[in-house]
PDB file of all heavy atoms in Angstrom:
ATOM      1  N   PRO A  66     337.170  66.411 101.465  1.00  0.00           N
ATOM      2  CA  PRO A  66     336.741  65.923 100.149  1.00  0.00           C
ATOM      3  C   PRO A  66     336.141  67.066  99.335  1.00  0.00           C
ATOM      4  O   PRO A  66     335.618  68.035  99.887  1.00  0.00           O
ATOM      5  CB  PRO A  66     335.672  64.874 100.481  1.00  0.00           C
ATOM      6  CG  PRO A  66     335.841  64.564 101.925  1.00  0.00           C
ATOM      7  CD  PRO A  66     336.428  65.780 102.566  1.00  0.00           C
ATOM      8  N   VAL A 142     346.745  61.824 103.695  1.00  0.00           N
ATOM      9  CA  VAL A 142     346.649  60.502 104.327  1.00  0.00           C
ATOM     10  C   VAL A 142     346.185  59.474 103.289  1.00  0.00           C
ATOM     11  O   VAL A 142     346.692  58.354 103.236  1.00  0.00           O
ATOM     12  CB  VAL A 142     345.700  60.524 105.544  1.00  0.00           C
ATOM     13  CG1 VAL A 142     345.540  59.133 106.132  1.00  0.00           C
ATOM     14  CG2 VAL A 142     346.232  61.479 106.600  1.00  0.00           C
ATOM     15  N   LEU A 230     348.487  30.493 103.533  1.00  0.00           N
ATOM     16  CA  LEU A 230     349.224  30.223 104.765  1.00  0.00           C
ATOM     17  C   LEU A 230     348.422  29.245 105.605  1.00  0.00           C
ATOM     18  O   LEU A 230     347.198  29.330 105.673  1.00  0.00           O
ATOM     19  CB  LEU A 230     349.432  31.527 105.544  1.00  0.00           C
ATOM     20  CG  LEU A 230     350.133  32.637 104.745  1.00  0.00           C
ATOM     21  CD1 LEU A 230     350.112  33.946 105.535  1.00  0.00           C
ATOM     22  CD2 LEU A 230     351.561  32.238 104.421  1.00  0.00           C
ATOM     23  N   LEU A 284     344.358  33.929 110.968  1.00  0.00           N
ATOM     24  CA  LEU A 284     344.179  33.153 109.740  1.00  0.00           C
ATOM     25  C   LEU A 284     342.952  32.261 109.862  1.00  0.00           C
ATOM     26  O   LEU A 284     342.139  32.158 108.937  1.00  0.00           O
ATOM     27  CB  LEU A 284     345.416  32.297 109.468  1.00  0.00           C
ATOM     28  CG  LEU A 284     346.702  33.027 109.095  1.00  0.00           C
ATOM     29  CD1 LEU A 284     347.881  32.056 109.059  1.00  0.00           C
ATOM     30  CD2 LEU A 284     346.543  33.722 107.755  1.00  0.00           C
ATOM     31  N   THR A 552     390.840  42.510 119.021  1.00  0.00           N
ATOM     32  CA  THR A 552     389.824  43.539 119.248  1.00  0.00           C
ATOM     33  C   THR A 552     389.091  43.847 117.946  1.00  0.00           C
ATOM     34  O   THR A 552     389.632  43.692 116.862  1.00  0.00           O
ATOM     35  CB  THR A 552     390.457  44.845 119.775  1.00  0.00           C
ATOM     36  OG1 THR A 552     391.421  45.284 118.819  1.00  0.00           O
ATOM     37  CG2 THR A 552     391.133  44.642 121.109  1.00  0.00           C
ATOM     38  N   VAL A 601     380.340  49.386 130.460  1.00  0.00           N
ATOM     39  CA  VAL A 601     379.845  50.675 129.981  1.00  0.00           C
ATOM     40  C   VAL A 601     380.839  51.741 130.419  1.00  0.00           C
ATOM     41  O   VAL A 601     381.020  51.979 131.607  1.00  0.00           O
ATOM     42  CB  VAL A 601     378.434  50.963 130.538  1.00  0.00           C
ATOM     43  CG1 VAL A 601     377.958  52.336 130.082  1.00  0.00           C
ATOM     44  CG2 VAL A 601     377.461  49.893 130.085  1.00  0.00           C
ATOM     45  N   ASP A 605     377.218  57.774 132.635  1.00  0.00           N
ATOM     46  CA  ASP A 605     376.598  59.071 132.911  1.00  0.00           C
ATOM     47  C   ASP A 605     376.327  59.861 131.640  1.00  0.00           C
ATOM     48  O   ASP A 605     375.590  60.842 131.661  1.00  0.00           O
ATOM     49  CB  ASP A 605     377.504  59.915 133.815  1.00  0.00           C
ATOM     50  CG  ASP A 605     377.974  59.145 135.042  1.00  0.00           C
ATOM     51  OD1 ASP A 605     377.191  58.295 135.522  1.00  0.00           O
ATOM     52  OD2 ASP A 605     379.102  59.377 135.495  1.00  0.00           O
ATOM     53  N   GLN A 669     357.480  62.261 137.870  1.00  0.00           N
ATOM     54  CA  GLN A 669     358.323  63.442 137.782  1.00  0.00           C
ATOM     55  C   GLN A 669     357.892  64.353 136.632  1.00  0.00           C
ATOM     56  O   GLN A 669     357.912  65.565 136.751  1.00  0.00           O
ATOM     57  CB  GLN A 669     359.759  63.009 137.582  1.00  0.00           C
ATOM     58  CG  GLN A 669     360.724  63.948 138.222  1.00  0.00           C
ATOM     59  CD  GLN A 669     362.105  63.343 138.264  1.00  0.00           C
ATOM     60  OE1 GLN A 669     362.668  62.990 137.238  1.00  0.00           O
ATOM     61  NE2 GLN A 669     362.634  63.197 139.456  1.00  0.00           N
ATOM     62  N   PRO A 722     369.139  79.173 125.273  1.00  0.00           N
ATOM     63  CA  PRO A 722     369.592  79.720 123.994  1.00  0.00           C
ATOM     64  C   PRO A 722     368.941  78.988 122.827  1.00  0.00           C
ATOM     65  O   PRO A 722     368.674  77.800 122.888  1.00  0.00           O
ATOM     66  CB  PRO A 722     371.100  79.494 124.025  1.00  0.00           C
ATOM     67  CG  PRO A 722     371.375  78.640 125.200  1.00  0.00           C
ATOM     68  CD  PRO A 722     370.215  78.720 126.115  1.00  0.00           C
TER      69      PRO A 722
END
Side-chain angles (χ1 to χ4, degrees):
Chain A
V142 176
L230 304 172
L284 292 172
T552 58
V601 177
D605 310 327
Q669 213 168 58

